[in-house]
Amino acid sequence: MAKETENNGGQQPAQQPQSARERYRSRYSAAHPDLNLDDDEAFYGQANQNLDELENFRESNRQLGEAFDRNPLLAGLLSAAREGENPFTYLAEQVGPDMDIRELARNPEFSTKMGEALSKYQETLAQGAKAEQEMGEHFKESMNALKELQQERGMSDEDTQALVKKMFGEVDEEGNVVDYGIIGNASMGIVPKEVWEAVLKAQSYDDDVKAAGEKAAAQALNSREQNTLRSFGRSAGVPNLGTNGGGRPAQKKKGNSLADFGRNLMED
């Protein structure tokens, strides 16, 4: 090593540059740290997904480029907004007197279109307010249902609050989302395996309870039928077979009255 350093004028040997393959794998590993690059199915599955995203991105850019070609003012407006310029100022500078709202308001066609646009805006606001109100009412109903469950199960306030966070998510003091919760994740199409299992277990539990109830009802009905038959055999007039316990016909008992005494003499 000392001779090699002396031959290089005292400098360390230059590091060999990465090959294109090594550089690609290094960048891919950094972009997907949880991906096993040695797993071909996982690697190429992610690669195909990346290609799909790239193709969609290129198609969106193509359509946006065609829109800019048809309307150069739109391209300039977007560029000005990207650089932090006020878009209305940019339009006023580019369009000039045609941007004078006072003059535009005198144009019947423009007034009609602006009226329709403002009506749609107000309608959107109203729909948003209605949806927010309905959501608040639904949330209140959900909390009442949870309170009933808390009382039935004897849950503590801490456990109940933890259940709310698990269901609806959690935000910090600055309003940043800490956890989207089951509902938030589901709205984005994210349903973990344990959630599917919980729903499946809940369905199985209901079926098991139903089956157990039907079985208990059948047993109770069978028990009532058996009790009825036994009671009928004892007291409902079932004829005596005339045995005395040893399988022989029971002998008639002689009566104690004078009529019986005479009848017995005749029979003897």
Side-chain angles (χ1 to χ4, degrees):
M1 178 65 70
K3 292 182 178 180
E4 184 177 351
T5 304
E6 291 176 359
N7 294 335
N8 292 336
Q11 298 179 355
Q12 296 293 333
Q15 185 177 1
Q16 294 295 329
Q18 286 183 322
S19 65
R21 182 176 184 276
E22 292 173 340
R23 182 169 176 267
Y24 178 81
R25 287 178 64 88
S26 177
R27 294 176 61 190
Y28 209 85
S29 178
H32 306 283
D34 297 332
L35 181 65
N36 182 7
L37 300 184
D38 296 327
D39 185 346
D40 287 346
E41 286 297 321
F43 177 82
Y44 287 108
Q46 184 62 52
N48 282 319
Q49 182 177 340
N50 293 344
L51 283 176
D52 292 339
E53 294 177 357
L54 179 60
E55 290 176 357
N56 293 334
F57 178 76
R58 286 175 173 172
E59 177 61 20
S60 297
N61 279 351
R62 184 189 65 79
Q63 295 176 0
L64 190 60
E66 291 178 354
F68 287 160
D69 292 340
R70 293 191 298 267
N71 192 348
L73 183 62
L74 179 61
L77 180 63
L78 180 61
S79 178
R82 183 182 61 185
E83 295 174 359
E85 184 177 352
N86 188 308
F88 294 102
T89 302
Y90 173 83
L91 287 175
E93 291 175 352
Q94 299 298 320
V95 178
D98 290 339
M99 269 294 296
D100 191 339
I101 301 298
R102 294 167 298 182
E103 293 297 329
L104 290 174
R106 297 188 181 98
N107 186 325
E109 183 179 358
F110 177 81
S111 297
T112 300
K113 291 183 178 180
M114 285 297 295
E116 293 175 352
L118 290 175
S119 296
K120 291 181 179 179
Y121 174 74
Q122 294 295 336
E123 182 179 353
T124 301
L125 288 181
Q127 291 177 350
K130 181 180 179 181
E132 185 175 354
Q133 180 181 359
E134 291 179 350
M135 182 180 295
E137 294 175 353
H138 295 162
F139 186 81
K140 184 177 180 180
E141 294 175 358
S142 299
M143 290 300 99
N144 290 334
L146 179 58
K147 289 179 181 179
E148 293 180 3
L149 180 63
Q150 180 184 12
Q151 294 176 356
E152 294 173 358
R153 297 290 185 91
M155 299 169 56
S156 66
D157 292 341
E158 291 76 10
D159 291 341
T160 304
Q161 187 63 28
L163 185 59
V164 173
K165 291 180 180 179
K166 185 175 182 62
M167 181 65 68
F168 292 100
E170 182 180 5
V171 295
D172 58 19
E173 296 179 354
E174 298 179 356
N176 300 317
V177 177
V178 177
D179 182 10
Y180 285 99
I182 294 176
I183 293 179
N185 285 326
S187 67
M188 296 184 290
I190 303 173
V191 182
K193 180 181 177 181
E194 56 269 20
V195 175
W196 289 117
E197 289 179 341
V199 174
L200 184 60
K201 288 180 180 178
Q203 291 179 340
S204 299
Y205 175 79
D206 292 340
D207 293 340
D208 293 342
V209 170
K210 182 179 179 181
E214 293 175 349
K215 182 178 180 181
Q219 291 176 345
L221 178 59
N222 182 62
S223 177
R224 285 197 298 270
E225 290 176 350
Q226 294 298 326
N227 291 336
T228 301
L229 289 175
R230 285 195 293 268
S231 299
F232 181 80
R234 288 193 302 267
S235 60
V238 176
N240 192 347
L241 296 180
T243 61
N244 59 2
R248 300 188 304 274
Q251 295 180 356
K252 296 181 179 179
K253 293 183 180 180
K254 296 181 179 181
N256 295 325
S257 66
L258 292 175
D260 291 333
F261 179 77
R263 189 182 304 111
N264 292 334
L265 288 176
M266 293 296 294
E267 291 176 352
D268 290 339

